[in-house]
Amino acid sequence: MTPLERLLIAQIQESGPITLADYMAQCLMHPQHGYYATRDPLGAAGDFTTAPEISQMFGELLGLCIAQAWLDQGAPSPFALAELGPGRGTLMADILRATGTVPGFRAAAQVHLVETSPTLRAAQAKALEGAGPTWHDTVQTLPDLPLFLIANEFFDALPIRQAQRDGAQWRERMVGRDGDRLIPGLSAPAAPPPLAHRLEDTQDGDIVEFSPTATHIMAHIGAQIAEHGGAALIVDYGDWRALGDTFQALRAHAPADPYAVPGTADLTAHVDFEALALAAAPARHSRITPQGVFLERLGITQRAQKLAGTLSGAAREAHVAAHRRLTHPAEMGTLFKVMGLYPEGAAPPPGLSM
């Protein structure tokens, strides 16, 4: 039994079952025993690998996409270049390198990172030495400037709530205990306000996921872009409207029981892009686009071919495999989606459409 498991069982024994959102928040962000507070989860020695760790091409193309959006909006100066959940800082480092040749971009950019993990902040400081980043615990403290923001695999790790339809009402998925084990269960029938509209497209027994945390963050980002200008790229796995149980755990790059040994596995759920888009109003949103299509529109194949010309042997084979992993429909190409935010009167970021 992990220390966090003991704390959760004691809490449930005293106060009753907790929501899935509360469970996720404790597992991931508990200051002493939470998953992100205690480790670097990335890479072969961790539990998962993100696109920036697969190839430099991902960050380079996102950086040039953001730089073009900046140019299209008149090259405002200064502006906030922000990333949510920056991992080891790899993506931002690639963005800064790729945009170094865009006149005026680096001089106008103020780098801001929204990150709560001390372990990952240390890795980011090392990767971004010389860039002078400012760290934030929440998006609410980002400066009141034009905001050009990237969130890659950020929203999937935010706490979700789950509700199962029961007639015209819903039962919420809760986490309780059976002796010394944590187990999922259902609440008494209720009618959560965010789900009234989902009676139109669900049936008895269907599970719907929603994230008040995610929509709160998106509302702030959308309001800032609408007022000050800017653009955001949201890259994550999910679809336009949530339906079904997508709550999952990953440990050592393999699926795991999300209710076992809490605090030792990455917990995620698919992103509901419709909910994010609605929350971001009055900022405009693009259509969601498969990651592979988005990267191809930005020229990833041409970039891959240029880089391949400098490689041979195992390095070349790894490079080709990375291109495939990022773009192929059977890998990350269709599982991951991209959505852009932009102000009224501006064009969507390159690679995306209205």
Side-chain angles (χ1 to χ4, degrees):
M1 185 181 293
T2 66
L4 182 59
E5 193 168 12
R6 291 190 185 92
L7 290 175
L8 290 170
I9 287 174
Q11 177 185 345
I12 291 167
Q13 186 171 6
E14 181 178 347
S15 306
I18 60 176
T19 67
L20 186 58
D22 289 340
Y23 175 73
M24 283 187 71
Q26 293 268 48
C27 289
L28 296 176
M29 301 310 305
H30 188 281
Q32 283 82 43
H33 309 302
Y35 178 76
Y36 286 114
T38 58
R39 71 199 69 211
D40 178 351
L42 295 163
D47 296 308
F48 60 90
T49 301
T50 60
E53 305 292 333
I54 293 169
S55 171
Q56 69 184 66
M57 297 183 293
F58 183 81
E60 291 172 347
L61 291 174
L62 264 64
L64 293 174
C65 174
I66 283 289
Q68 186 60 57
W70 174 75
L71 290 170
D72 290 344
Q73 293 186 36
S77 179
F79 72 92
L81 177 62
E83 186 179 357
L84 308 185
R88 293 172 173 167
T90 305
L91 176 56
M92 183 58 74
D94 289 340
I95 288 171
L96 293 174
R97 186 184 65 255
T99 55
T101 58
V102 179
F105 185 87
R106 290 287 301 276
Q110 297 180 2
V111 178
H112 294 269
L113 307 176
V114 178
E115 178 62 69
T116 59
S117 166
T119 302
L120 291 176
R121 280 192 179 194
Q124 293 153 18
K126 185 175 180 180
L128 298 171
E129 187 176 1
T134 299
W135 281 271
H136 303 260
D137 290 330
T138 71
V139 296
Q140 279 72 27
T141 58
L142 291 172
D144 291 332
L145 295 171
L147 177 63
F148 291 83
L149 177 144
I150 302 97
N152 177 62
E153 290 199 59
F154 172 78
F155 285 96
D156 66 274
L158 296 181
I160 61 161
R161 294 170 66 183
Q162 285 185 338
Q164 182 171 313
R165 183 169 171 180
D166 183 0
Q169 295 181 304
W170 303 85
R171 294 178 182 268
E172 184 160 4
R173 177 72 64 88
M174 308 292 287
V175 178
R177 58 180 283 269
D178 179 10
D180 289 336
R181 292 189 308 122
L182 294 168
I183 58 170
L186 293 173
S187 71
L195 298 183
H197 67 293
R198 296 307 303 272
L199 293 174
E200 302 170 359
D201 68 330
T202 56
Q203 300 176 353
D204 270 3
D206 281 350
I207 291 176
V208 171
E209 297 172 340
F210 58 104
S211 175
T213 302
T215 52
H216 179 68
I217 290 171
M218 281 297 282
H220 183 87
I221 294 169
Q224 183 161 347
I225 288 175
E227 180 177 355
H228 298 287
L233 294 175
I234 312 301
V235 187
D236 229 312
Y237 54 89
D239 219 322
W240 183 245
R241 177 174 283 195
L243 183 61
D245 179 2
T246 70
F247 180 51
Q248 59 189 329
L250 201 65
R251 186 183 299 111
H253 300 268
D257 181 351
Y259 302 101
V261 287
T264 67
D266 183 40
L267 302 180
T268 66
H270 286 207
V271 171
D272 184 340
F273 281 94
E274 180 188 42
L276 297 186
L278 293 174
R284 302 289 304 277
H285 64 86
S286 73
R287 295 182 181 181
I288 61 170
T289 301
Q291 176 177 290
V293 173
F294 173 69
L295 293 175
E296 290 293 355
R297 288 175 178 172
L298 295 181
I300 191 171
T301 294
Q302 293 87 340
R303 178 61 175 153
Q305 290 169 345
K306 184 175 181 180
L307 289 173
T310 66
L311 301 171
S312 62
R316 182 184 176 93
E317 291 177 6
H319 172 65
V320 171
H323 173 263
R324 175 185 171 86
R325 187 169 178 187
L326 291 174
T327 61
H328 196 277
E331 300 204 36
M332 297 174 74
T334 55
L335 174 63
F336 283 78
K337 311 293 193 307
V338 185
M339 183 175 73
L341 301 181
Y342 53 98
E344 185 72 37
L352 301 171
S353 57
M354 295 182 181

